[in-house]
Amino acid sequence: MSLVDLGKRLLEAARNGEDDEVRKLMASGAPFTTDGLGTSPLHLAARHGHYSTAEVLLCAGVSRDARNGADVNAKDMLKMTALHWAAEHNHRDVVKLLIKYGADVHAFSKFDKSAFDIALDKNNPETLVMLQVAMQKQVDAHAERMDPVANSLTLTSPFVLAPGEVLGLASLIASANTQTTSGDSPAPPAQLSSSTAGTLAMLPALAEASGAGGDAGETEEIAEANPVGSALQD
């Protein structure tokens, strides 16, 4: 049987929800082709609500030794993804499955409709909630990737520890936040340099020396053992 015939049979098996046949055809090397409208096997499984068939197709795509697999975000001639079709026919279990496998909930069809828009048009409240949650999660994940150091500690000015003085991290952070939120325009924040990181690493030792009744001499000894901290004090 030619690859073209295998591809056609895979489309038909996906349309009918024939899981065993889908597995057999994929094992025989059936390509993930589309029909004249750009409809893929996953489109058909999602459109007709064949959850297990859709899962078989998606698992083929993530298998370590897979030769091919279903593209969860593939679009047909109408730029509809499998998620669009699952929302169109309110197959909630299939919607959940597609989201699990990374379906883009923000994808738009040829008619500028997202899966959420379609579910709204169809008045499918449970599907709407599911899609809304997924949309927010994807937005949050994108924001974290765009600004991975948004929550890292920054300093707007250098600080110096006087002999015998211990600076806690809590006060350091509070000071940085106060400067950031004040009416004055602070200097552009800089990420912690290696020297500053070295000084912060010495804070526990300084605190221990202070708590044990250590004097300025002991503190100076610690500073001398750490030239990074000494450089900041000069």
Side-chain angles (χ1 to χ4, degrees), residues 56-67:
V56 169
L57 293 166
L58 289 167
C59 286
V62 298
S63 174
R64 183 175 300 177
D65 58 351
R67 286 176 292 178

Side-chain angles (χ1 to χ4, degrees), residues 18-39:
E18 300 171 353
D19 296 359
D20 291 338
E21 182 67 12
V22 167
R23 292 190 184 94
K24 178 181 176 181
L25 290 167
M26 288 193 301
S28 301
F32 278 56
T33 57
T34 60
D35 61 16
L37 298 177
T39 306

Side-chain angles (χ1 to χ4, degrees), residues 36-107:
L37 298 177
T39 306
S40 71
L42 185 60
H43 280 108
L44 292 171
R47 182 186 301 177
H48 295 282
H50 300 313
Y51 178 95
S52 58
T53 305
E55 188 170 31
V56 169
L57 293 166
L58 289 167
C59 286
V62 298
S63 174
R64 183 175 300 177
D65 58 351
R67 286 176 292 178
N68 56 25
D71 179 1
V72 70
N73 291 314
K75 295 185 176 184
D76 57 21
M77 294 293 287
L78 298 177
K79 295 185 178 181
M80 296 272 282
T81 65
L83 185 62
H84 282 108
W85 284 114
E88 172 79 21
H89 296 280
N90 198 29
H91 298 309
R92 293 190 298 274
D93 54 346
V94 178
V95 168
K96 184 176 181 179
L97 177 69
L98 294 169
I99 292 174
K100 174 184 175 182
Y101 278 87
D104 182 6
V105 294
H106 299 283

Side-chain angles (χ1 to χ4, degrees), residues 22 25 44 79 85 104 121 127 136 160 168 180 193 204 215:
V22 167
L25 290 167
L44 292 171
K79 295 185 178 181
W85 284 114
D104 182 6
D121 292 341
T127 302
Q136 186 58 52
V160 177
T180 303
S193 64
D215 55 20

